[in-house]
Amino acid sequence: MRHHKHKKFGKGMDHRRKLLRTLASSAILYEKIETGYANARAVKPYVEKAITIAKNNTLQARRLLLSKLTPMAAKKALEVLGPKYKERKGGYTRMIKLNNPKAGASKAVLELVE
């Protein structure tokens, strides 16, 4: 039986957690990142949940975001993205797969929708 529901990326738990944290923070700060397809698939729900938390601007939401993101990304999520997506029920990100037959792994662009 397979009980794990997340990709391991060949890394330890701490390294994987740090990877997701930095990718999600970059996606929130720059609103568009280009990364590997597997990384983009793994970080997409992480970003979606962070924006959902940021929609209600409370102290608890601020503390949750600070535990999941970098301080600058948490601040931007609360002050800019939370009010921007207040009426939207979900689907804050878009993932576009970039295929390059010469490169070994496929890339993807993860961006926030307007």
Side-chain angles (χ1 to χ4, degrees):
M1 283 191 278
R2 297 180 60 197
H3 287 294
H4 57 63
K5 52 187 170 179
H6 60 290
K7 298 259 314 164
K8 293 194 175 184
F9 303 117
K11 299 173 182 0
M13 189 175 70
D14 291 338
H15 193 179
R16 186 170 55 244
R17 188 178 295 143
K18 191 70 164 178
L19 173 76
L20 290 176
R21 177 185 172 131
T22 55
L23 279 175
S25 297
S26 295
I28 287 174
L29 282 176
Y30 303 115
E31 298 186 4
K32 185 177 186 178
I33 58 169
E34 182 177 335
T35 183
Y37 182 68
N39 288 347
R41 279 191 57 195
V43 81
K44 185 176 178 177
Y46 202 84
V47 173
E48 298 265 348
K49 288 172 190 168
I51 293 174
T52 302
I53 291 169
K55 281 169 50 173
N56 56 347
N57 193 357
T58 60
L59 181 61
Q60 181 184 8
R62 182 174 299 275
R63 287 179 176 165
L64 268 170
L65 287 176
L66 283 172
S67 72
K68 294 179 180 296
L69 303 171
T70 60
M72 286 176 51
K75 183 177 179 184
K76 180 173 180 182
L78 285 167
E79 294 176 359
V80 178
L81 299 179
K84 179 180 175 182
Y85 295 119
K86 193 71 171 172
E87 299 301 319
R88 195 175 178 99
K89 296 220 186 313
Y92 314 112
T93 59
R94 174 185 306 129
M95 193 170 72
I96 302 166
K97 188 173 183 180
L98 305 173
N99 282 330
N100 186 359
K102 294 183 181 177
S106 59
K107 294 256 183 201
V109 173
L110 183 75
E111 60 186 6
L112 300 178
V113 297
E114 296 301 318

